Amino acid sequence: VAAHDARVDPDTSEFTKAYLDPIGITSMLDAPVRKEGMLVGVVCHEHVGHSRVWAADEQEFAASVADFVSLALEAGDRRRAEQAFRVAQEQLLRQQWQARTQVESELARVEAELVRSTRLATIGQIAASIAHELRNPLAAIRNAEYYLKRHVPDHESRCREHLEIIGQEIHAADGIIDNLLEMTRAKEPERRSVDLGAAVREAFGRVKESRGVRLSIDLRPDPFLIEADPDQLRQLLVNLITNSAQALDGNGEIRVCAVVDGSGTAISVIDDGPGVSEEHRDRIFEPLYSTKHKGTGLGLTISSQIAERHGWRLDLQTVDRGAAFRILIPRTPTH
Amino acid sequence: VSTSVLVVDDERNIRTTLAHVLESEGFEVLTAATGEQAVAMCKRRSFDAVLLDVRMPGIDGIEAFRRIRKILSGVKVILMSAYSVAGVEREALDAGVVAFLRKPLDIERVLDLLRP
């Protein structure tokens, strides 16, 4: 629009009273700004003073400015669009990468689990047959020991001492065989309501290494009831308490406590012994892995299997001093 | 008259040691190395009790128990095994075995079961 006298020009006269007169505008030269063919704005040239005639080159100039603005706007839009595209693309790549990492780690976990269970199954089969085979020679030894105990006279004190040792070692060997067989026998838990405090005290009493070790039980409410297979729970507790007691070597304290929150119950067996060193931490639950020269490497494997069969989880907590094993019992929905 | 016991096990050392233990406790003891041999001995004479290993070459302890039961109806039979198979144990006890003991044997328990 080239309005030589804007106050009377039909294209601009509607602005005369409200806008042109108060400022004293007399002539106007307007050029449209378009984006993708649509009118999106106007570049206005306003003249104050005597009205004037817009020359052809001035009109051309105004049109060029407007075109230039149009182009600049379109370029800005394109840049923003491109940037949005790049952001979206990066986000997509990141999501893909995350999904891939997740799938890969899940795959690795499943694979490790498969290796672990296959290894366990193989070890289990071998262990079971060895264990059974060992019971025959052990039976003959025990019969012989019984016979000799009956016939070696009391004054043969050394002989009687040796017989005592044989008896103890038969008992120990029998215990190892039981453990090996327990590992291969995945018995489904028969759940009942068990008083945890009483179970801990009973298990503690069964662990001969617990002599000299203090036991402190901090469970509230008392009785602290959990749903568990009593025999399997006892074995789990015996295994954990045995480990702690051996670590304490007859001097120290084992503390059993429980925390209940919205996610479930966490039962901790804590000792103030030397703890589990960094290098062993990841491997102590593996079958046949032991940090003790007399260990079979089965105690914690069996314990975590018992936990798994109950739908629980057994883990080792990092603490400043000593070791803290935790049995995590998820909250079961109540209907 | 002392209680007569037949000890049946394919492991010689188990037979020998168990026989000596029982003899020194005042039982009259004979031994057999296979189920077939045990059945044959039961045909020739009577026993008050039979201690039978379950896993043996030839007929196993369960089958030997069935055959011996037909010959000596009142005989006390105790099965012993290094293997614990729950199904077999249940079956044997249902069939009239006095006890199914795990090896190594708890000898006090054996003596309690054998004493009249």
Side-chain angles (χ1 to χ4, degrees):
Chain A
V1 176
H4 306 301
D5 189 349
R7 285 165 303 174
V8 295
D9 193 294
D11 283 332
T12 54
S13 59
E14 57 179 306
F15 306 114
T16 305
K17 250 180 118 173
Y19 179 64
L20 303 179
D21 278 354
I23 304 172
I25 295 168
T26 49
S27 303
M28 287 175 79
L29 178 61
D30 294 350
V33 176
R34 293 177 205 279
K35 221 161 70 179
E36 290 160 17
M38 301 273 289
L39 182 69
V40 294
V42 178
V43 176
C44 291
H45 303 256
E46 293 167 344
H47 175 79
V48 180
H50 295 292
S51 65
R52 54 160 297 174
V53 173
W54 299 101
D57 59 338
E58 285 175 325
Q59 292 185 30
E60 233 165 74
F61 173 75
S64 303
V65 170
D67 285 347
F68 185 75
V69 172
S70 300
L71 282 172
L73 279 176
E74 278 180 1
D77 272 8
R78 203 163 46 239
R79 217 175 28 249
R80 271 192 296 281
E82 276 169 6
Q83 191 163 1
F85 175 73
R86 261 199 311 279
V87 168
Q89 200 178 29
E90 273 167 25
Q91 204 175 355
L92 190 70
L93 281 172
R94 209 164 35 241
Q95 276 171 359
Q96 279 176 343
W97 185 77
Q98 271 170 358
R100 200 180 131 179
T101 320
Q102 210 173 350
V103 167
E104 276 172 357
S105 74
E106 181 65 10
L107 209 63
R109 197 189 63 74
V110 170
E111 199 180 306
E113 178 58 34
L114 196 69
V115 168
R116 193 182 80 96
S117 57
T118 312
R119 186 164 170 226
L120 260 184
T122 315
I123 291 170
Q125 284 161 6
I126 298 168
S129 62
I130 293 173
H132 281 133
E133 290 308 320
L134 280 174
R135 277 182 171 163
N136 273 320
L138 212 52
I141 298 171
R142 182 183 276 176
N143 294 346
E145 177 237 5
Y146 188 92
Y147 181 86
L148 289 173
K149 262 191 171 167
R150 284 300 177 108
H151 291 85
V152 170
D154 284 349
H155 65 265
E156 292 281 4
S157 61
R158 281 259 161 120
C159 285
R160 297 207 63 93
E161 197 184 322
H162 280 246
L163 282 173
E164 200 55 49
I165 291 168
I166 292 173
Q168 284 168 8
E169 297 301 332
I170 292 169
H171 183 75
D174 206 26
I176 294 169
I177 291 172
D178 277 352
N179 267 344
L180 279 167
L181 290 174
E182 177 60 37
M183 194 181 75
T184 63
R185 200 185 303 136
K187 202 169 124 261
E188 273 306 297
E190 286 174 29
R191 288 167 202 265
R192 257 181 282 152
S193 196
V194 181
D195 176 357
L196 182 63
V200 168
R201 273 186 290 274
E202 194 201 334
F204 187 80
R206 282 175 182 246
V207 176
K208 66 174 193 294
E209 292 92 336
S210 69
R211 201 172 298 164
V213 172
R214 288 186 309 282
L215 173 68
S216 104
I217 300 178
D218 182 14
L219 296 171
R220 264 160 300 188
D222 189 28
F224 192 95
L225 299 176
I226 60 169
E227 290 294 312
D229 183 306
D231 294 335
Q232 295 188 24
L233 176 68
R234 190 196 309 114
Q235 194 183 3
L236 201 172
L237 292 171
V238 164
N239 290 350
L240 294 184
I241 291 171
T242 302
N243 281 350
S244 290
Q246 284 173 345
L248 291 173
D249 198 17
N251 182 22
E253 184 181 76
I254 298 176
R255 200 158 68 81
V256 178
C257 57
V259 176
V260 183
D261 64 19
S263 63
T265 304
I267 300 163
S268 298
V269 177
I270 306 161
D271 66 66
D272 53 359
V276 181
S277 66
E278 196 68 47
E279 77 217 74
H280 298 312
R281 221 161 261 172
D282 290 340
R283 301 196 57 195
I284 51 171
F285 293 102
E286 283 179 22
L288 304 182
Y289 188 82
S290 181
T291 60
K292 296 171 284 198
H293 76 283
K294 266 187 93 175
T296 55
L298 295 174
L300 284 175
T301 307
I302 293 169
S303 301
S304 60
Q305 284 180 342
I306 290 174
E308 271 169 35
R309 287 204 291 269
H310 280 81
W312 309 339
R313 208 158 57 77
L314 182 66
D315 71 5
L316 171 67
Q317 287 285 95
T318 314
V319 283
D320 294 341
R321 235 176 91 67
F325 284 91
R326 234 178 17 161
I327 306 165
L328 298 160
I329 305 177
R331 201 170 71 92
T332 43
T334 43
H335 298 288
Chain B
V1 183
S2 57
T3 306
S4 57
V5 182
L6 176 62
V7 172
V8 190
D9 199 305
D10 57 317
E11 298 273 345
R12 188 174 58 88
N13 287 343
I14 291 181
R15 285 199 306 277
T16 309
T17 52
L18 197 52
H20 288 178
V21 166
L22 296 176
E23 277 166 4
S24 77
E25 296 293 328
F27 295 96
E28 181 205 351
V29 185
L30 271 82
T31 61
T34 63
E36 288 87 345
Q37 199 187 342
V39 174
M41 286 169 81
C42 288
K43 281 179 182 161
R44 284 201 298 275
R45 60 156 291 178
S46 169
F47 291 94
D48 296 308
V50 182
L51 269 168
L52 250 181
D53 183 28
V54 173
R55 195 181 279 201
M56 290 184 291
I59 62 166
D60 66 9
I62 309 276
E63 181 55 30
F65 158 69
R66 288 203 184 95
R67 296 191 192 176
I68 289 169
R69 240 316 157 57
K70 281 184 192 154
I71 306 161
L72 305 171
S73 59
V75 70
K76 230 190 246 184
V77 176
I78 296 166
L79 289 179
M80 47 188 187
S81 180
Y83 304 84
S84 39
V85 186
V88 176
E89 192 172 332
R90 189 70 267 152
E91 195 187 323
L93 291 172
D94 287 346
V97 161
V98 172
F100 194 107
L101 303 181
R102 216 202 68 192
K103 286 179 179 175
L105 295 178
D106 174 353
I107 292 169
E108 299 294 348
R109 174 101 204 277
V110 175
L111 297 175
D112 280 349
L113 289 166
L114 290 179
R115 281 183 188 121

